[in-house]
Amino acid sequence: ERRLADRHRVAEEKAIFDELRLAFGKKGIQAMIIEAAIPDIEFEANHLLARMTDGRMHVRIETQRQTLKGDTIETLDINIADELGTRPYELYSGGEAFRVNFAIRIALSKLLARRAGAQLHLLVIDEGFGTQDAEGRERLVEAITSIQDDFERILVITHIEELKDAFPVRIEITKTSAGSHYSLN
C-alpha cells in the first residue's frame, strides 16, 4: 500500500515535470516570446528597408512551415521580396543582402532595448559599404541619418573616400611607420 502511494506520488511529480519540460522547451515559452516579437521586428525592419530601397524590398519572418508530409514544423525563415517576387536570401546581391541584414539588425536592437527598458546609445557600422553601388551607398547614408536620433552616437568605419564627407564629424586614422595617428575633422 505504501509503495502504491509512492508510485502514485512519483507519477504525479513526473507529469508536472513533463509539463515544465514542454513549457520551458523550444516549443514552449521561447516559441511564444519569439512569435510575439516577430510583428515588431518585421515592422521596424520593413520601415527601414522601405527607406533604403524606395519601397522595393520587404521582409516577412515565418516561424512555422508545412513539410511535404503535411506536418507543421518550427522554423525561422526570413523571406525577402522585391519587385521580382520572393526569392531565397542567397539570390540577392551583396548590396541587397547588406541592406536586409542592416534593417533586421536595427529592428532587433530596437526591440531588445525597448523590452529591457533601455536606450540604444551606440551603433557601430564596420564597413559594409563596399557591397553597395553609388545609389545604395546614398540610401544607406540616408537610412543612417534617419535613425540618428535613436542613438547617442553612430560610428561608421569605412575606407571609401566618397563617404568621408557624408558624415559631419570624422576621426581619420593614418598608419605610419612610427605608429598610427588620428585627426578629428
Side-chain angles (χ1 to χ4, degrees):
E1 199 175 291
R2 187 174 52 86
R3 289 188 188 249
L4 284 175
D6 285 346
R7 183 177 181 192
H8 180 70
R9 182 185 49 75
V10 168
E12 285 178 349
E13 285 181 6
K14 182 185 180 305
I16 291 170
F17 288 130
D18 286 343
E19 283 185 44
L20 288 172
R21 182 180 50 82
L22 289 174
F24 291 107
K26 69 178 184 175
K27 293 183 180 182
I29 294 171
Q30 294 177 44
M32 291 171 53
I33 291 170
I34 291 169
E35 196 70 39
I38 296 297
D40 288 340
I41 295 168
E42 281 182 349
F43 176 81
E44 288 287 348
N46 285 324
H47 182 69
L48 185 55
L49 203 50
R51 286 187 282 184
M52 288 189 288
T53 65
D54 248 356
R56 289 185 354 256
M57 293 179 76
H58 70 275
V59 295
R60 194 177 82 251
I61 301 171
E62 293 181 357
T63 58
Q64 296 180 342
R65 90 175 112 114
Q66 296 288 325
T67 65
L68 295 176
K69 293 180 182 177
D71 298 331
T72 302
I73 61 168
E74 299 290 323
T75 185
L76 187 58
D77 292 333
I78 299 172
N79 298 309
I80 308 164
D82 63 7
E83 63 273 8
L84 300 176
T86 302
R87 51 198 159 113
Y89 177 86
E90 297 80 26
L91 296 181
Y92 284 89
S93 71
E96 291 168 323
F98 180 84
R99 281 174 258 188
V100 169
N101 294 342
F102 181 74
I104 291 173
R105 286 179 179 142
I106 296 297
L108 283 168
S109 297
K110 286 183 173 185
L111 174 78
L112 293 172
R114 193 170 47 250
R115 288 203 168 175
Q119 174 78 21
L120 292 172
H121 296 284
L122 176 66
L123 171 64
V124 178
I125 303 167
D126 188 1
E127 297 296 344
F129 292 97
T131 61
Q132 306 294 305
D133 58 16
E135 183 181 338
R137 278 195 289 268
E138 184 179 313
R139 292 206 182 274
L140 199 48
V141 169
E142 288 172 8
I144 292 168
T145 304
S146 72
I147 62 171
Q148 69 185 2
D149 292 337
D150 296 345
F151 300 90
E152 287 181 24
R153 298 275 182 270
I154 298 178
L155 180 63
V156 177
I157 301 167
T158 185
H159 292 94
I160 300 173
E161 288 294 324
E162 67 191 59
L163 284 174
K164 289 182 178 181
D165 294 329
F167 303 103
V169 178
R170 294 189 321 260
I171 302 171
E172 291 196 39
I173 311 290
T174 307
K175 187 175 179 179
T176 67
S177 59
S180 296
H181 301 279
Y182 73 92
S183 63
L184 184 63
N185 300 321

